[in-house]
């Protein structure tokens, strides 16, 4: 076991595998030298006891585990008794768990095999353990089957979870629902402030709490951002519960980020006294408007609270000039003299705004939008406006500005401040950029990681752009956020020279977030967030489902399934004995998982395999149709809802092929009632006809879909009607069966938007389509307007065929 952690263990195990591969069991002299059964058992123990070293991101690949698995595969190829024993079956489960045991809240390190090389080796060992062993095949069949039966919501189409994996930087993005970039930028800025995150997590509910659902969704979103294994969170539940200006959020309408930020933290403030204190201390500041009389001893002071500081950008070079503009001294004299509230007389005075209280997080709103009084339109100011990484607010505080006056006994000089007075120096921790025009555009954020002490110390910044999160070089902040002009070289064909061409950047900082500097020991503090166990369990349930998806939507797994369904059954002593079991596994895998995959280059081979398996097993054909007759999940998901026409056509043709395969033994049952007690068939009702055959039961289920499960304006109906048409064409029994179910009447009512004569006006269209329908009197003209020509063509052909059959019967 010494070489298992050494750099050269790959070569060591390669050599051992070669030696084992070349052992000839028939040579008695060698079999006495090496007991393969004992070696297999020893390797199983080594694999079980191997500690978890493999990393999901591939940063550490456990070459020792990979070598053990490959060596075990070489040994098992020689069919030692261990392979067929009860201990071998227990080891089979252990190998399966190496691949599919999901990490959980209590054990996040699972599974043991994470890297590509270890997983590939484990799959090879699984295959070798199953070859030639019916018992092992039955076990692996049941475990894998459970992963592909309908036990979850339907997968998305063109699904490939590897594209949705959390970024390497371990931050999670937010999905843009149309125009929700302002929301994503606000949420990410708040989430990356540790005090705000902790306050949201630890908030307690009460019956009379305002905005309770908003708090719940905010907690869920923050938990997802912290714990999810996925690339991005979909904030639709938050948007559904959140109201702004007494209106639900319209995800297709862009809002001003500063307005949303202020609205959100105001709502948080109103939730509880604890949250109010947090919001006030984190974001709440106070500006005082001071009027100092020059002709008397009186001072007038009014205070105004703020969450964001408005910074003028027009005609300003940087944030210092803008702050100077906010706090500039204005002399009131002459006609503009001040009326003293104490003396009641006109006096000369000096007026000045000062920052009396500064919050821990100081946010600025750059006034990039102006209103042009000439054009009467809103315009964006794209001029250059800079801001520093470290901002000293001392020159703008009340202590500094008012303390310098000898007449102001009520204000201390800045030099008199005690040592424990809060710092007025701030570090830049976040910038939200707006790109576009005043009429529309896009928000994204650059945020410094201040949660992780190591990242904070090393000035680590990240770009948060909706679902995308990636590292960002803070040296690029000026070019990305200051606005101004950009110069590029453009070729001038007239002068045959490259000329400088300048244009205004449309991207510039819109909101700035500064954090008050803290003592050095505070900057190195580790944050631990108190997340409720319910929320953690909720997100880890989602994580486990996603990680399972990631395990099975993967090419190595697809290759393993191909061997399990195609190659391995032929190695068993009696392949026919497992034909039904194999067909069930193949069908469930293909229809539940494989066709949903974005990457499915072997789809034709899989369909050929299914066709072959159905050809070889009547029981498999009957199981397939029985299952769909009892549960319309597959026809609904694939025949009606699938956006991929090739997949719909494949499924329709497969169903027709299975029915043709069964026709010789089932056709005589199509028109018989489902009763098997010998009662008089003449008394059978319409509902009983065809009950003895899985074929007619399945067709009846499809017709019920038309009546209850699909809207007339559904996009994908061509293959649905193509199936019914192909079925009707098979012969007289099929046409008679459809006529007995009143299929013509069902289709007419379907296209008319009604369910039947007893309920003639059941509306199934939208309001706009319903209004159009009232103007149409002819069913065919309505159909031409509402349906794809191919679907209409198939329906008309089917109706014509059934009408002709009905006439011939008469």
């Amino acid at each position: 076991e010494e070489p298992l952690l050494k750099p050269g263990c790959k070569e060591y195990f390669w050599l051992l595998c070669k030696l084992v591969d070349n052992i000839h069991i028939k040579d008695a002299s060698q079999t006495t030298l090496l007991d393969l059964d004992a070696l297999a058992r020893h390797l199983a123990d080594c694999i079980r006891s191997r500690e978890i070293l493999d990393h999901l991101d591939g940063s550490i690949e456990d070459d020792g585990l990979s070598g053990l698995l490959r060596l075990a595969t070489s040994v098992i190829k020689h069919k030692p008794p261990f392979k067929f024993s009860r201990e071998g079956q227990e080891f089979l489960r252990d190998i399966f768990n190496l691949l599919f045991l999901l990490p959980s809240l209590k054990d996040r390190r699972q599974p043991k095999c994470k890297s590509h090389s270890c997983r590939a080796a484990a799959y090879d060992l699984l295959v070798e353990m199953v070859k030639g062993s019916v018992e092992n095949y039955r076990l692996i069949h049941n475990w894998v089957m459970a992963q592909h039966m309908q036990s979850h919501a339907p997968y998305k189409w063109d699904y490939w979870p590897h594209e949705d994996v959390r970024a390497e930087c371990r931050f999670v993005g937010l999905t843009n629902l149309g125009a929700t970039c302002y929301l994503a930028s606000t949420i990410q800025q708040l989430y990356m402030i540790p005090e705000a995150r902790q306050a949201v997590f630890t908030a307690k509910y009460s019956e009379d709490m305002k905005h309770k659902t908003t708090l719940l969704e905010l907690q869920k979103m923050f938990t997802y951002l912290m714990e999810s294994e996925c690339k991005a969170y979909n904030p639709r539940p938050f948007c559904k519960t959140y109201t702004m200006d007494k209106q639900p959020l319209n995800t297709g309408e862009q809002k001003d980020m500063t307005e949303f930020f202020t609205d959100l933290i105001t709502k948080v403030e109103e939730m509880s006294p604890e949250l109010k204190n947090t919001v006030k201390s984190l974001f709440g500041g106070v500006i005082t408007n001071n009027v100092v009389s020059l002709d008397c001893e009186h001072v007038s002071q009014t205070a105004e609270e703020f969450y964001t500081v408005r910074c003028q950008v027009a005609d300003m070079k940087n944030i210092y000039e803008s702050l100077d503009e906010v706090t500039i001294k204005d002399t009131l004299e002459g006609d503009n003299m001040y009326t003293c509230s104490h003396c009641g007389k006109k006096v000369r005075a000096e007026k000045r705004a000062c920052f009396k209280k500064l919050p821990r997080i100081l946010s600025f709103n750059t006034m990039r939008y102006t209103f042009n009084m000439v054009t009467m339109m809103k315009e964006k100011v794209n001029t250059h406006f800079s801001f520093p990484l470290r901002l000293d607010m001392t020159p703008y505080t009340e202590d500094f500005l008012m303390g310098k006056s000898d007449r102001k006994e009520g204000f201390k000089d800045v030099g008199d401040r005690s040592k424990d007075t809060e710092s007025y120096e701030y570090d830049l921790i976040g910038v939200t950029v707006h790109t576009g025009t005043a009429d529309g555009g896009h928000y994204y954020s650059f945020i410094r990681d201040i949660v992780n002490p190591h990242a904070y110390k090393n000035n680590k910044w990240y770009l948060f752009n909706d679902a995308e999160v990636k590292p960002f070089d803070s040296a690029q902040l000026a070019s990305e956020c200051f606005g101004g002009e950009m110069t590029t070289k453009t070729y001038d064909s007239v002068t045959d020279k490259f000329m400088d061409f300048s244009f205004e950047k449309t991207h510039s900082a819109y909101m700035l977030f500064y954090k008050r500097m803290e003592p050095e020991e505070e900057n190195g503090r580790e944050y631990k967030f108190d997340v409720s166990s319910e929320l953690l369990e909720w997100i880890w349930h989602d994580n486990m489902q996603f990680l399972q998806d990631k395990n099975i939507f993967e090419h190595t797994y697809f290759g393993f399934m191909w061997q399990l369904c195609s190659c391995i059954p032929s190695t068993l002593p009696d392949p026919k004995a497992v034909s039904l079991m194999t067909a069930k596994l193949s069908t469930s895998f293909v229809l539940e998982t494989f066709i949903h995959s974005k990457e499915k280059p072997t789809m034709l081979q899989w369909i050929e395999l299914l066709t072959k398996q159905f050809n070889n097993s009547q029981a498999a054909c009957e199981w397939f149709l029985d299952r769909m007759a009892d549960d319309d999940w597959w026809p609904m998901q694939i025949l009606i809802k699938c956006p991929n026409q090739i997949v719909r056509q494949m499924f329709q043709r497969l169903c027709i092929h299975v029915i043709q395969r069964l026709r010789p033994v089932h056709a005589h049952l199509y028109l018989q009632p489902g009763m098997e007690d010998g009662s008089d068939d003449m008394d059978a009702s319409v509902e009983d006809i065809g009950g003895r055959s899985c074929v007619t039961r399945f067709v009846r289920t499809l017709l019920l879909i038309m009546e209850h499960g699909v809207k007339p304006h559904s996009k994908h109906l061509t293959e649905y009607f193509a199936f019914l048409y192909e079925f009707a064409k098979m012969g007289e029994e099929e046409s008679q069966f459809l006529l007995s179910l009143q299929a013509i009447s069902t289709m007419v009512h379907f296209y008319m938007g009604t369910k039947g004569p007893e309920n003639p006006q059941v509306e199934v269209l939208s309001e706009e389509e319903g209004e159009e329908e009232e103007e149409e009197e002819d069913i065919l003209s309505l159909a031409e307007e509402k349906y794809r020509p191919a679907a209409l063509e198939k329906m008309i052909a089917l109706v014509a065929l059934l009408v002709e059959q009905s006439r011939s019967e008469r």
Side-chain angles (χ1 to χ4, degrees):
E1 296 183 21
E2 182 67 22
L4 299 189
L5 297 173
K6 301 296 184 182
C9 72
K10 279 187 178 180
E11 289 75 16
Y12 169 80
F13 280 110
W14 178 86
L15 179 60
L16 282 178
C17 289
K18 286 294 181 183
L19 290 171
V20 171
D21 286 342
N22 287 284
I23 287 177
H24 300 289
I25 300 300
K26 293 179 181 178
D27 190 331
S29 63
Q30 289 197 19
T31 54
T32 55
L33 290 175
L34 182 61
D35 186 344
L36 288 177
D37 193 60
L39 179 57
R41 294 172 186 274
H42 177 65
L43 288 171
D45 290 337
C46 290
I47 291 169
R48 287 191 188 102
S49 61
R50 181 75 171 172
E51 61 177 315
I52 300 177
L53 301 174
D54 229 19
H55 278 208
L56 187 64
D57 58 7
S59 57
I60 297 179
E61 292 191 10
D62 189 354
D63 293 333
L65 177 59
S66 177
L68 286 169
L69 291 166
R70 296 195 184 283
L71 181 57
T73 304
S74 296
V75 172
I76 295 297
K77 282 181 182 177
H78 293 287
K79 301 179 181 178
F82 170 72
K83 171 179 175 176
F84 304 93
S85 66
R86 180 176 294 277
E87 293 86 352
Q89 292 172 5
E90 292 172 358
F91 181 51
L92 183 70
R93 184 73 205 194
D94 292 333
I95 306 167
F96 190 82
N97 287 339
L98 291 181
L99 289 159
F100 299 110
L101 191 63
L102 294 171
S104 65
L105 186 57
K106 295 179 180 178
D107 185 5
R108 303 190 184 194
R109 298 195 305 154
Q110 296 293 348
K112 194 176 286 189
C113 291
K114 301 183 188 70
S115 64
H116 178 75
S117 60
C118 277
R119 294 187 70 81
Y123 278 125
D124 289 343
L125 180 53
L126 267 185
V127 168
E128 209 54 54
M129 285 290 293
V130 174
K131 282 182 179 177
S133 171
V134 175
E135 276 306 309
N136 289 1
Y137 181 78
R138 288 185 188 279
L139 287 172
I140 200 76
H141 169 275
N142 293 338
W143 300 336
V144 173
M145 188 76 168
Q147 296 187 147
H148 298 288
M149 290 299 286
Q150 173 198 336
S151 59
H152 52 77
Y155 289 119
K156 295 181 290 186
W157 294 101
D158 292 329
Y159 183 42
W160 198 247
H162 297 270
E163 297 176 344
D164 297 326
V165 175
R166 186 171 178 168
E168 288 183 15
C169 61
R170 306 303 293 158
F171 291 115
V172 177
L174 288 166
T175 306
N176 193 326
L177 301 177
T180 56
C181 52
Y182 67 90
L183 181 145
S185 290
T186 299
I187 295 296
Q188 295 286 21
Q189 292 284 4
L190 283 175
Y191 170 77
M192 292 295 284
I193 298 169
E195 296 89 347
R197 191 191 304 184
Q198 180 70 322
V200 169
F201 281 143
T202 56
K204 304 298 182 185
Y205 292 109
S206 63
E207 289 301 322
D208 57 347
M209 173 183 280
K210 292 183 69 175
H211 318 297
K212 186 173 180 177
T213 54
T214 295
L215 175 60
L216 176 61
E217 290 302 332
L218 195 59
Q219 287 179 330
K220 288 172 67 177
M221 187 153 35
F222 276 18
T223 308
Y224 203 101
L225 293 178
M226 189 167 72
E227 292 286 338
S228 178
E229 294 294 328
C230 298
K231 179 180 180 179
Y233 175 70
N234 187 326
R236 191 173 297 281
F238 178 85
C239 295
K240 284 183 177 180
T241 64
Y242 195 88
T243 58
M244 191 170 173
D245 301 323
K246 298 182 179 180
Q247 296 292 324
L249 279 187
N250 179 355
T251 56
E253 175 188 349
Q254 185 161 129
K255 294 187 180 295
D256 182 277
M257 183 198 161
T258 304
E259 292 178 6
F260 179 75
F261 171 79
T262 306
D263 188 78
L264 177 58
I265 62 173
T266 302
K267 281 186 170 64
V268 173
E269 179 188 359
E270 294 172 350
M271 291 173 183
S272 70
E274 294 80 14
L275 286 173
K276 182 174 183 177
N277 291 336
T278 300
V279 170
K280 290 288 188 187
S281 65
L282 268 182
F283 304 105
V286 177
I287 288 182
T288 56
N289 292 299
N290 303 279
V291 181
V292 181
S293 173
L294 299 177
D295 297 327
C296 65
E297 295 297 322
H298 298 128
V299 177
S300 173
Q301 187 180 71
T302 57
E304 178 185 342
E305 293 186 348
F306 68 85
Y307 286 135
T308 59
V309 179
R310 295 160 64 109
C311 288
Q312 290 294 334
V313 172
D315 302 321
M316 302 285 170
K317 292 180 182 177
N318 53 47
I319 197 170
Y320 295 114
E321 290 191 4
S322 185
L323 287 168
D324 288 339
E325 180 72 16
V326 172
T327 58
I328 193 169
K329 184 190 292 184
D330 186 16
T331 304
L332 306 176
E333 56 187 357
D335 294 338
N336 198 28
M337 288 176 70
Y338 170 69
T339 302
C340 179
S341 58
H342 293 84
C343 303
K345 62 181 181 180
K346 295 273 189 180
V347 294
R348 291 174 303 121
E350 291 176 346
K351 182 180 179 182
R352 163 170 264 158
C354 311
F355 288 92
K356 183 178 180 67
K357 175 182 176 293
L358 287 168
R360 296 176 70 180
I361 305 296
L362 182 58
S363 57
F364 293 93
N365 169 216
T366 60
M367 307 297 287
R368 283 283 180 184
Y369 304 131
T370 61
F371 191 78
N372 190 321
M373 296 301 292
V374 178
T375 62
M376 300 301 288
M377 294 180 67
K378 191 178 176 183
E379 294 178 350
K380 187 178 177 185
V381 180
N382 291 316
T383 54
H384 185 274
F385 182 82
S386 65
F387 47 88
L389 289 174
R390 179 160 293 174
L391 175 66
D392 186 0
M393 288 294 292
T394 303
Y396 312 104
T397 61
E398 187 180 79
D399 281 352
F400 183 88
L401 292 170
M402 304 304 290
K404 284 192 173 183
S405 172
D406 293 336
R407 307 180 68 246
K408 303 274 72 59
E409 298 177 359
F411 299 98
K412 295 186 294 183
D413 187 89
V414 69
D416 292 336
R417 285 183 291 160
S418 58
K419 290 182 180 179
D420 58 359
T421 301
E422 291 175 329
S423 169
Y424 290 146
E425 284 193 303
Y426 285 81
D427 280 336
L428 183 70
I429 60 166
V431 182
T432 295
V433 172
H434 179 268
T435 180
T437 66
D439 298 321
H442 179 61
Y443 291 106
Y444 53 91
S445 291
F446 301 111
I447 307 177
R448 184 179 179 182
D449 184 0
I450 62 173
V451 178
N452 184 327
H454 179 74
Y456 187 25
K457 183 178 179 181
N458 289 282
N459 195 33
K460 293 288 186 182
W461 284 75
Y462 297 91
L463 165 64
F464 290 78
N465 189 355
D466 290 334
E468 294 291 333
V469 185
K470 59 185 179 182
F472 173 72
D473 182 2
S474 60
Q476 302 299 315
L477 275 170
S479 61
E480 291 291 335
C481 305
F482 288 177
E485 289 191 341
M486 187 174 184
T487 303
T488 185
K489 294 284 187 182
T490 305
Y491 177 70
D492 187 344
S493 58
V494 177
T495 60
D496 193 25
K497 293 180 180 178
F498 282 94
M499 310 288 288
D500 285 340
F501 175 68
S502 297
F503 56 91
E504 280 188 336
K505 295 177 181 178
T506 58
H507 58 278
S508 53
Y510 186 63
M511 282 196 77
L512 310 174
F513 294 87
Y514 281 89
K515 175 182 180 290
R516 180 189 287 130
M517 286 185 61
E518 296 171 337
E520 191 63 34
E521 60 271 15
E522 288 291 315
N523 291 336
R525 182 172 43 154
E526 285 275 1
Y527 289 98
K528 293 184 179 179
F529 300 102
D530 302 320
V531 187
S532 73
S533 57
E534 293 83 2
L535 284 174
L536 284 173
E537 287 173 7
W538 167 75
I539 186 59
W540 269 95
H541 176 77
D542 185 84
N543 278 344
M544 291 166 72
Q545 182 63 61
F546 173 74
L547 292 171
Q548 180 175 339
D549 294 351
K550 196 158 120 351
N551 285 339
I552 66 178
F553 280 86
E554 195 262 327
H555 292 300
T556 310
Y557 180 74
F558 288 174
F560 165 70
M561 287 300 297
W562 177 259
Q563 293 192 70
L564 207 55
C565 297
S566 175
C567 310
I568 291 177
S570 62
T571 69
L572 303 177
D574 185 5
K576 287 186 177 180
V578 296
S579 60
L580 175 58
M581 192 163 58
T582 304
K584 285 183 179 181
L585 181 59
S586 304
T587 307
S588 298
F589 167 68
V590 171
L591 299 187
E592 285 289 328
T593 304
F594 187 74
I595 60 173
H596 286 264
S597 172
K598 182 178 181 180
E599 300 180 15
K600 43 182 182 288
T602 58
M603 189 170 82
L604 277 179
Q605 290 96 307
W606 275 104
I607 300 307
E608 288 174 4
L609 176 64
L610 287 181
T611 305
K612 179 181 176 182
Q613 289 174 342
F614 285 133
N615 284 342
N616 292 337
S617 172
Q618 178 180 328
C621 294
E622 291 171 340
W623 164 82
F624 180 52
L625 294 182
D626 268 328
R627 189 186 187 286
M628 293 190 294
D630 295 333
D631 184 353
D632 65 7
W633 174 270
W634 285 346
M636 278 295 296
Q637 296 301 319
I638 306 170
L639 202 59
I640 305 293
K641 295 183 178 180
C642 175
N644 187 324
Q645 186 181 18
I646 294 175
V647 171
R648 296 197 307 271
Q649 289 176 343
M650 170 276 297
F651 181 73
Q652 175 238 321
R653 290 167 184 167
L654 184 65
C655 292
I656 289 294
H657 179 80
V658 170
I659 291 173
Q660 287 174 332
R661 163 76 175 78
L662 290 176
R663 192 174 192 278
V665 292
H666 274 257
H668 72 282
L669 300 173
Y670 289 173
L671 296 173
Q672 292 188 22
M675 297 174 292
E676 298 183 359
D677 55 1
S679 58
D680 189 359
D681 288 357
M682 296 300 293
D683 297 331
S685 66
V686 172
E687 286 75 15
D688 291 328
I689 295 176
R692 292 189 184 180
S693 169
C694 58
V695 175
T696 43
R697 289 176 58 244
F698 169 56
V699 173
R700 184 189 290 275
T701 298
L702 278 186
L703 288 174
L704 287 174
I705 287 177
M706 197 192 309
E707 290 186 37
H708 306 294
V710 61
K711 295 181 179 179
H713 57 281
S714 297
K715 293 179 182 178
H716 314 305
L717 292 172
T718 305
E719 289 70 33
Y720 174 81
F721 286 113
F723 169 82
L724 292 173
Y725 176 67
E726 292 296 326
F727 175 72
K729 276 199 331 181
M730 286 183 187
E732 183 179 341
E733 293 91 341
E734 287 79 3
S735 296
Q736 284 297 322
F737 174 69
L738 289 174
L739 286 169
S740 69
L741 295 185
Q742 301 178 346
I744 296 176
S745 174
T746 298
M747 283 183 280
V748 169
H749 289 301
F750 176 69
Y751 271 90
M752 290 296 290
T754 62
K755 285 188 178 178
E758 72 286 352
N759 189 11
Q761 294 299 325
V762 177
E763 189 63 67
V764 289
L765 302 177
S766 65
E767 290 182 12
E768 294 81 3
E769 290 167 325
E771 290 171 3
E772 292 174 6
E773 185 185 34
E774 290 176 4
E775 299 173 2
E776 299 291 345
E777 295 182 1
D778 187 274
I779 185 174
L780 294 182
S781 64
L782 171 67
E784 287 171 358
E785 193 168 294
K786 298 294 175 192
Y787 303 94
R788 293 171 57 185
L792 177 64
E793 181 183 334
K794 290 295 181 185
M795 188 279 291
I796 293 174
L798 174 58
V799 171
L801 181 66
L802 294 178
V803 168
E804 183 62 32
Q805 180 65 33
S806 177
R807 286 174 178 168
S808 65
E809 283 298 310
R810 292 197 194 109

